[in-house]
Amino acid sequence: MLKIAVLVSGGGTNLQALIDAQNNGVLSSGRIVMVISNREDAYALKRAEIAGIKSAVAKSEDEILSALKECKPDVIVLAGFMKILSKSFIENVEAPILNIHPSLIPSFCGKGFYGLKVHEEVLKSGVKVTGATVHMVNEIPDGGEIVAQKAVEILPDDTPEKLQRRVMECCEWVILPRAVESICRKIEPKILPKPQKYAGRGIITGMTPSGGKMLAYFIMGRSVSSKARRFERSGDDLIIKLTRDDKNFDPSLILYAPLRVLGDNIIITNGDQTDTVYDTMKSGGTFEEALRTREYEPDPPHFTPRISALMTPSGYKQSILKRAGKYFFEYDYTPGKGRLIHTYDHDVMAGGVLPSFEGEPREVNIPDDMESFAGELWQELGEDYRVAMYVRYYDGNSYTDKLYNTQEA
Ligand code: GAR
């Protein structure tokens, strides 16, 4: 779920439209986490309070920037925000900024055109239609790319106030929530961190929004022997088979069971440590005890990390054994979230060495739909290096799975 910050100055009817859209499902790909007002008397602050949304008063651009740093939004919405933001402010902010303007841009916009003033000018000009525009914010006031527009007719007895009300009701409150939803959908984080060309082998474990369990294991390969592999089901386990006769490799690093089921537990790893964990746990030991007896792979110059995961009914663990040390991570299930660990951080460094995965397993979004999750992940692995991928979804009683191979049997 993306985080949205809304900047306001006044009544906050557009903020209210976003809150309502959040409640009725029109806005579902993002959540408003913060309302920032440049005026302390803005009624919008009251609306935020009633909706239980955190708010702050920030008058200068520096204050706004520090409020934004605190909530780290993915999307920023200017909803009735009456201050023109400077070029340096916009450059300083990574998240896309959207603005709602109460006219059909490029008419009646730019410096000096805000609030009621816009509608006064519209009436003075004698045009027969007006409306509202949602646009991306850049350094030109009301000058960024247009995202959505909606028009209304001007009526003979319109006053600026009447027209403003009609433009808000018929246009602004309709197009703003939809535009925010569509931007959120566009920037929804992908499964693999970008930019990323070569992640090596990767494991995802987590929970779907409705409480099912999801796991994925993928292999990307560059060498001929690494690419000549296929995943195959073996009962409830997963094994790897070679598709060509090749003596030029260490079979223990290439051929192993990436997934084994032990009672209610599932062990997923990128090597024969699957068996070490399985055997240790079967005789009463733990995931950690098993992996402490192992280390990174003996494949200079990369010294590929050994990555492993354990899914139990109540939580999951991930681990990476690399030259820098042995690391263990433990997580409770969170609906809609999972963790991804992979062997290489990014592409080859100078000297042809693949850098090991750095930091904590990355949080990823886990949807309910296994087909679309698997399809998206397979796509993201890219055609150059992906070799095989396995995804399994448990609903509590039984599982469904999906297997991808680039190599024919
Ligand atoms: C709205 O018409 C909005 O489009 C406009 O201020 C009015 C009040 O909004 N914004 C601008 O003119 C920005 N240049 P609110 O009821 O959401 O506070």
Side-chain angles (χ1 to χ4, degrees), residues 11 232 269 271 302 364 392:
E232 283 184 18
T269 90
H302 314 304
V364 293
R392 186 181 287 192

Side-chain angles (χ1 to χ4, degrees), residues 10-15 79-82 100-102 113-115 164 168 172:
T13 62
N14 279 294
L15 168 67
F81 186 65
M82 303 301 186
I100 176 89
H101 181 78
F113 285 92
Y114 57 88
Q164 180 183 47
M168 291 208 280
E172 298 184 37

Side-chain angles (χ1 to χ4, degrees), residues 260-334:
R260 289 185 72 185
V261 177
L262 177 63
D264 286 342
N265 302 315
I266 305 172
I267 303 151
I268 312 134
T269 90
N270 70 329
D272 61 5
Q273 73 270 25
T274 307
D275 300 333
T276 312
V277 175
Y278 185 96
D279 296 340
T280 306
M281 288 185 65
K282 201 163 180 207
S283 48
T286 64
F287 178 72
E288 290 82 357
E289 279 165 8
L291 291 171
R292 280 192 196 108
T293 68
R294 303 298 307 266
E295 60 175 9
Y296 52 85
E297 295 182 357
D299 64 338
H302 314 304
F303 298 105
T304 300
R306 286 189 191 270
I307 53 170
S308 312
L310 176 72
M311 282 184 104
T312 77
S314 59
Y316 62 94
K317 295 176 177 180
Q318 293 192 351
S319 159
I320 183 163
L321 311 178
K322 49 184 188 174
R323 281 222 281 185
K326 301 183 180 185
Y327 301 87
F328 298 92
F329 307 92
E330 186 166 3
Y331 301 101
D332 292 329
Y333 288 110
T334 306

Side-chain angles (χ1 to χ4, degrees), residues 128-252:
K128 300 296 174 214
V129 288
T130 185
T133 305
V134 177
H135 65 93
M136 305 306 299
V137 172
N138 63 10
E139 68 285 359
I140 304 159
D142 300 325
E145 187 193 331
I146 292 171
V147 178
Q149 286 189 306
K150 195 163 186 285
V152 281
E153 281 186 26
I154 289 158
L155 303 177
D157 65 343
D158 266 339
T159 60
E161 290 78 9
K162 274 191 188 169
L163 185 57
Q164 180 183 47
R165 182 79 199 171
R166 202 160 66 258
V167 168
M168 291 208 280
E169 273 177 13
C170 302
C171 308
E172 298 184 37
W173 306 342
V174 179
I175 61 173
L176 183 62
R178 289 187 195 158
V180 175
E181 172 67 13
S182 87
I183 293 291
C184 285
R185 286 203 186 170
K186 267 194 204 142
I187 63 168
E188 183 94 53
K190 298 283 179 242
I191 304 167
L192 297 178
K194 300 277 176 200
Q196 170 106 264
K197 281 212 187 92
Y198 194 58
R201 270 60 70 190
I203 303 170
I204 295 174
T205 47
M207 180 181 256
T208 71
S210 58
K213 312 269 166 61
M214 190 89 84
L215 69 86
Y217 180 63
F218 62 79
I219 57 178
M220 300 169 84
R222 299 182 315 151
S223 67
V224 176
S225 57
S226 183
K227 281 194 164 180
R229 292 185 288 176
R230 274 176 63 81
F231 284 174
E232 283 184 18
R233 295 181 185 88
S234 166
D236 288 333
D237 297 351
L238 186 70
I239 54 168
I240 297 180
K241 288 221 164 136
L242 262 194
T243 58
R244 58 197 287 279
D245 212 12
D246 192 340
K247 303 276 178 290
N248 193 21
F249 63 87
D250 175 350
S252 76

Side-chain angles (χ1 to χ4, degrees), residues 42-61:
Y43 186 70
L45 290 169
K46 184 82 195 157
R47 293 183 194 268
E49 189 192 321
I50 294 167
I53 300 167
K54 221 173 137 186
S55 65
V57 175
K59 294 186 180 163
S60 67
E61 288 195 347

